[in-house]
């Protein structure tokens, strides 16, 4: 399958290792991965700041780059949610709307094509899953605690496939980190307080690593972690899965050598 890899702008600039891990995982599962070098932001920051109409050309530029891909995968539920929502609006042509609905979050892609069934990984890390608001409530990747309807948590199902991983359950499993894009700028004090609350919950629950499908939340939490020298790290879901695959292969080779 020919798959386009969309690298969100903040991943490209601050967390390139997340893009590389996603690329290598897609290749690991036999995908033909295309990474157009001319790609840029999805336009969400502009749209969220009140300039939705002006963000359309940015989105159309992305669509032109990925037009020949069967699906386009990104390690960011937040960016995918924005693209899908824009795909419902009248700014776009029917052709552009069709491309918009071929964009999938990495977790969705792993489940939709049953790659999760082929996954074999190994880790001993103590990990807590941070459920981003856009991934949870916008994309429906899991069940909200305020909802009484049953739903699987797709990201947690992926992590449970890693042999030996210790998943930590925090007290408030789906509370916002306080980032909110421009909210972190316009309401800095509230944003930082919300981030500190989330970190305290995760650390007191015993987590060594905080993971998520959205590096934007992790960027906000990591900023507080570094300033306050807190004893916890952040990693994207794709990084943990890729590192676990690598460790699993090394263990298998070690056993085979005896």
């Amino acid at each position: 399958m020919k798959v386009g890899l969309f690298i969100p702008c903040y991943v490209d600039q601050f967390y390139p290792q997340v893009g590389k891990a996603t690329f290598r995982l897609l290749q690991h599962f036999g995908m033909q991965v295309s990474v157009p070098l001319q790609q840029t932001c999805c336009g969400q920051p502009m749209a969220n700041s009140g300039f939705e109409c002006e963000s359309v050309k940015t989105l159309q530029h992305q669509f032109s780059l990925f037009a020949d891909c069967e699906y386009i995968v990104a390690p960011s539920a937040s960016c995918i949610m924005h693209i899908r929502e824009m795909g419902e609006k009248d700014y776009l042509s029917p052709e552009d709307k069709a491309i918009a609905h071929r964009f999938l979050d990495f977790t969705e892609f792993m489940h939709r094509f049953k790659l999760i069934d082929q996954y074999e990984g190994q880790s001993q890390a103590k990990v807590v899953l941070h459920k981003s608001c856009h991934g949870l409530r916008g994309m429906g990747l899991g069940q909200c605690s305020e909802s009484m309807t049953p739903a699987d948590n797709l990201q947690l199902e992926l992590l449970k496939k890693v042999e030996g991983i210790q998943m930590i359950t925090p007290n408030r499993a789906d509370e916002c980190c306080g980032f909110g894009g421009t909210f972190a700028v316009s309401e800095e004090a509230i944003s930082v307080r919300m981030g500190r609350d989330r970190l305290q919950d995760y650390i007191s629950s015993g987590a060594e690593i905080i993971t998520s499908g959205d590096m934007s939340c992790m960027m906000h939490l990591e900023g507080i972690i570094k300033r306050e020298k807190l004893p916890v790290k952040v990693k994207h879901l794709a990084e943990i899965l890729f590192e676990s695959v690598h460790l699993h292969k090394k263990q298998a080779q070690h056993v085979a050598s005896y």
Side-chain angles (χ1 to χ4, degrees), residues 58-75:
T58 304
L59 199 53
Q60 288 172 326
H61 169 71
Q62 294 289 79
F63 290 163
S64 68
L65 297 175
F66 290 109
D68 65 339
C69 295
E70 294 177 69
Y71 291 94
I72 304 98
V73 181

Side-chain angles (χ1 to χ4, degrees), residues 41-60 82 86 89 91-92 182:
C41 175
C42 66
Q44 183 181 181
M46 193 186 303
N48 289 353
S49 299
F51 303 97
E52 189 173 275
C53 289
E54 288 83 349
S55 73
V56 173
K57 287 186 178 178
T58 304
L59 199 53
Q60 288 172 326
H82 170 70
M86 289 296 288
K89 300 193 175 183
Y91 307 121
L92 301 177
T182 54

Side-chain angles (χ1 to χ4, degrees), residues 57-239:
K57 287 186 178 178
T58 304
L59 199 53
Q60 288 172 326
H61 169 71
Q62 294 289 79
F63 290 163
S64 68
L65 297 175
F66 290 109
D68 65 339
C69 295
E70 294 177 69
Y71 291 94
I72 304 98
V73 181
S76 171
S78 181
C79 297
I80 295 297
M81 188 191 81
H82 170 70
I83 292 170
R84 297 254 192 88
E85 287 183 342
M86 289 296 288
E88 299 296 327
K89 300 193 175 183
D90 294 334
Y91 307 121
L92 301 177
S93 68
E95 292 77 15
D96 283 341
K97 289 182 178 181
I99 297 175
H101 287 89
R102 300 210 305 264
F103 278 73
L104 298 177
D105 168 66
F106 170 74
T107 300
E108 284 184 307
F109 187 77
M110 290 287 288
H111 280 271
R112 181 175 295 191
F113 296 100
K114 301 191 183 306
L115 302 180
I116 183 174
D117 297 335
Q118 304 171 29
Y119 178 81
E120 292 182 316
Q122 194 170 4
S123 173
Q124 296 298 321
K126 295 180 179 178
V127 178
V128 67
L129 174 63
H130 174 76
K131 302 170 185 173
S132 72
C133 298
H134 281 179
L136 187 66
R137 298 179 174 85
M139 296 284 290
L141 298 180
Q143 184 187 36
C144 309
S145 58
E146 69 270 21
S147 172
M148 300 301 289
T149 57
D152 295 329
N153 187 301
L154 302 184
Q155 293 171 330
L156 191 58
E157 291 301 315
L158 276 178
L159 289 165
K160 284 181 176 177
K161 293 288 289 185
V162 181
E163 181 185 339
I165 198 168
Q166 300 178 60
M167 293 306 304
I168 304 297
T169 303
N171 292 321
R172 303 185 302 280
D174 57 1
E175 193 172 277
C176 177
C177 69
F179 177 53
T182 54
F183 176 79
V185 177
S186 61
E187 299 291 347
E188 178 187 353
I190 299 173
S191 173
V192 171
R193 178 54 191 265
M194 292 172 71
R196 283 175 172 157
D197 284 352
R198 290 311 314 128
L199 287 168
Q200 184 57 47
D201 189 12
Y202 292 149
I203 292 170
S204 62
S205 298
E208 297 173 343
I209 297 173
I210 305 169
T211 191
S212 174
D214 271 304
M215 218 53 208
S216 49
C217 302
M218 296 294 95
M219 182 167 62
H220 175 58
L221 295 179
E222 189 178 43
I224 300 172
I225 290 169
K226 287 183 174 178
R227 280 195 298 274
E228 302 187 0
K229 297 180 172 54
L230 299 176
V232 68
K233 297 178 181 178
V234 301
K235 285 188 178 181
H236 190 277
L237 183 65
E239 286 183 275

